[in-house]
Amino acid sequence: MMTLVIVLAVLPLATTLAAIAGANARLAGYAAVAAACGSLALSIRLVFWIGDHHVLSALSGFIYVDGLSAFFLFTVAVVVLLSSLGSAAYLRAQESSGHLNSLQVRIYFGFFGAFAALMLASLGTGNLGMLFVLIEASTLASAALVGLEAQSRSLEAAWKYIIISSLGVTIALVGTMFLFYSGTGLPLTDNLRLTWPYLFQHASELAHPAVKLAFLLAVVGYGTKVGLAPMHTWLPDAHSEAPSPTSAMLSAALLNTGMYAIIRFLAIARIGLGTHYVQVVMLSFGFASVLVGALFLVTTTNFKRLFAYSSVEHMGIIAIALGFGGQLGLYGAMLHTLNHAIGKAVLFLASGDVVLAYRTREARKVHGLLTTLPLSGTVLMLATFSILGSPPFGLFLSELTIVRAGFADGGLWLPLALLLLLVIAFVAFARRTMPMIVGEPREQSGVRQPYATGEQRLLAALPIVAGIGASLVLGLWIPTGLHTMILRSIGALT
């Protein structure tokens, strides 16, 4: 099974090799899709194996997979597959229209494969130092995708992303060092002191002041990758300037990888320090993020930036769920992670069709998508309802679970405050997106069908139709396998 984990993480590099070999957008796109299918299949196989054996640990903890890792590996693998399908269509359309040259296409697929591989690898290690290295490397790989178009705004967004994210992850490294320092009085066995299983097992014996500082620095540092306020400032620029399939990867996969790292530190801090300190930290950053996200949704006119601020809001909701804690709060956090990943991937991929057709990211310049782009417009409308937490989509169920966790925690004002912020976000988001979708299209020059061939249209339609279908299913029914997987992910933390 150790080999399975390695192959799962390395498989997306087939896309990188295809790009290095000079494959065009069509061949590189199919290589990306095939590699993503393989990674998803292996992640599902790993989920079943973990269900029987609980933990996989090898190479002194450098490879470590438990229920939590398996859940996040599955979630990220789903997003990689959806984004690979979207990339196969989007990059071919950009290449055929002359907006990207062959070198840019090869750069895209080369770094796309590396980006996916690094994220999957970070979820399969138990060494906190290696976790830092892999997440920082994913920053560099994804930055090349953000600046792919080589325009002044995209290059500025890429540099801003590198600087802020690298600074954040460096802060997380300092937090990791303090966590290592907190265990200096413990017996050292096989150089395992920097591995999560060892620290989790000895969490009650760690020095409390060092653990407090380590957890706070980890939340600030990895929270920068997650987009928690006030460390979120890179996120709107990067998401709005990157190619839409990259935006899907950033919002639906990268942010979850950062949250995974925070959860690892949270599990240690909760045992070592008790629940109060952890709750205060997570609820503070969570509510700040939901508030900032909701307020910027009111003023933002660029629809890709709008979706980015929605990600800030939803990452805040997950942080709040972790702050509420308990079985219900953790269950809601995991369910929301998966629902948001699928819903936001669909939203960004559908928005890519709009960008290709209208050559704009301004919401006020787009009208009547149901008429001009019937499939993309319909999916965008459904994805809007999904991401806003409307029934019968999955995010409604996960948000309801999180609010219930808040009331179960004994509070009244915090869950009510969360509900108020969700209402503000709902109105602000719908106010921008619905005029794009409904009504009569205005006379606009230059609007065209985004894809030239039936093959491209099929590749573009597959991820958004499958994704919105999954969001609908998860709002009506949680499969037994998924329920069990979430319970195992929670069990790994207790």
Side-chain angles (χ1 to χ4, degrees):
M1 291 308 295
M2 179 185 75
T3 304
L4 184 148
V5 176
I6 295 173
V7 173
L8 190 159
V10 171
L11 202 52
L13 292 178
T15 310
T16 303
L17 295 176
I20 293 173
N24 58 20
R26 185 173 187 270
L27 293 177
Y30 280 122
V33 172
C37 287
S39 290
L40 179 58
L42 291 176
S43 73
I44 294 172
R45 174 70 183 92
L46 188 60
V47 165
F48 283 105
W49 191 90
I50 291 297
D52 295 330
H53 298 81
H54 304 297
V55 172
L56 168 65
S57 184
L59 302 179
S60 298
F62 277 95
I63 293 178
Y64 179 83
V65 179
D66 58 9
L68 183 69
S69 308
F71 173 80
F72 274 89
L73 280 167
F74 170 76
T75 301
V76 171
V78 168
V79 174
V80 171
L81 177 56
L82 295 176
S83 300
S84 296
L85 287 164
S87 297
Y90 187 90
L91 268 291
R92 286 175 64 182
Q94 289 286 66
E95 185 182 45
S96 61
S97 66
H99 285 86
L100 292 178
N101 58 43
S102 60
L103 176 60
Q104 287 173 306
V105 168
R106 290 198 297 273
I107 289 173
Y108 176 88
F109 282 107
F111 282 100
F112 182 92
F115 182 29
L118 288 165
M119 284 192 296
L120 291 169
S122 69
L123 300 172
T125 182
N127 186 289
L128 296 181
M130 182 58 66
L131 179 66
F132 156 78
V133 171
L134 293 170
I135 289 181
E136 174 62 7
S138 72
T139 300
L140 301 178
S142 53
L145 300 177
V146 172
L148 181 72
E149 294 181 357
Q151 304 295 322
S152 58
R153 293 182 62 177
S154 61
L155 292 174
E156 179 185 351
W159 278 111
K160 187 175 182 181
Y161 169 46
I162 291 174
I163 293 169
I164 295 176
S165 293
S166 296
L167 176 61
V169 178
T170 302
I171 292 173
L173 175 62
V174 176
T176 304
M177 295 169 64
F178 271 102
L179 192 59
F180 177 82
Y181 171 77
S182 70
T184 52
L186 297 177
L188 184 59
T189 306
D190 297 330
N191 297 318
L192 296 178
R193 190 184 290 157
L194 198 56
T195 63
W196 184 83
Y198 182 85
L199 291 167
F200 183 71
Q201 182 182 358
H202 296 87
S204 60
E205 305 169 52
L206 302 177
H208 286 198
V211 174
K212 277 189 175 183
L213 190 54
F215 177 63
L216 182 60
L217 290 173
V219 173
V220 172
Y222 288 121
T224 305
K225 296 289 291 187
V226 172
L228 295 179
M231 299 85 66
H232 67 284
T233 52
W234 66 269
L235 192 147
D237 291 335
H239 284 54
S240 63
E241 296 302 323
S244 292
T246 300
S247 300
M249 287 275 281
L250 289 171
S251 187
L254 179 66
L255 304 191
N256 288 334
T257 304
M259 188 62 78
Y260 165 84
I262 290 176
I263 293 172
R264 288 297 190 190
F265 278 80
L266 180 148
I268 296 171
R270 188 179 57 191
I271 295 176
L273 304 173
T275 60
H276 178 72
Y277 179 76
V278 170
Q279 279 189 320
V280 170
V281 173
M282 296 307 296
L283 290 175
S284 297
F285 282 104
F287 273 100
S289 301
V290 176
L291 177 62
V292 167
L295 292 178
F296 275 100
L297 288 177
V298 175
T299 59
T300 301
T301 59
N302 179 309
F303 56 81
K304 289 192 69 179
R305 289 179 72 89
L306 188 82
F307 302 160
Y309 281 118
S310 171
S311 295
V312 175
E313 176 212 355
H314 282 282
M315 289 299 107
I317 293 172
I318 295 171
I320 289 171
L322 295 170
F324 286 153
Q327 188 86 352
L328 203 56
L330 292 175
Y331 192 97
M334 299 304 164
L335 185 60
H336 200 79
T337 296
L338 178 61
N339 282 325
H340 174 257
I342 295 173
K344 192 56 63 69
V346 170
L347 203 60
F348 272 115
L349 292 175
S351 75
D353 297 350
V354 180
V355 172
L356 290 174
Y358 287 79
R359 294 295 169 187
T360 183
R361 293 175 170 88
E362 288 295 321
R364 58 185 175 81
K365 296 181 180 180
V366 179
H367 298 277
L369 285 174
L370 289 177
T371 301
T372 56
L373 301 173
L375 177 61
S376 301
T378 300
V379 171
L380 195 65
M381 180 176 65
L382 295 175
T384 294
F385 289 129
S386 172
I387 214 68
L388 291 175
S390 303
F393 293 99
L395 281 163
F396 170 77
L397 187 58
S398 56
E399 288 179 357
L400 179 62
T401 303
I402 293 168
V403 171
R404 287 177 56 205
F407 287 118
D409 190 45
L412 177 64
W413 296 110
L414 288 181
L416 289 178
L418 176 59
L419 284 172
L420 176 61
L421 291 172
L422 291 178
V423 170
I424 294 173
F426 186 102
V427 174
F429 194 97
R431 174 172 166 262
R432 294 295 181 194
T433 55
M434 294 313 293
M436 296 171 54
I437 299 167
V438 299
E440 293 297 324
R442 297 178 182 177
E443 291 294 331
Q444 301 178 71
S445 60
V447 177
R448 58 174 191 158
Q449 291 301 311
Y451 303 107
T453 67
E455 181 187 10
Q456 292 178 20
R457 287 191 289 273
L458 177 62
L459 287 171
L462 278 175
I464 60 176
V465 172
I468 202 64
S471 294
L472 180 60
V473 169
L474 291 175
L476 299 172
W477 170 59
I478 298 179
T480 302
L482 175 60
H483 175 70
T484 302
M485 183 165 55
I486 293 176
L487 291 180
R488 286 175 185 152
S489 69
I490 297 172
L493 303 173
T494 57

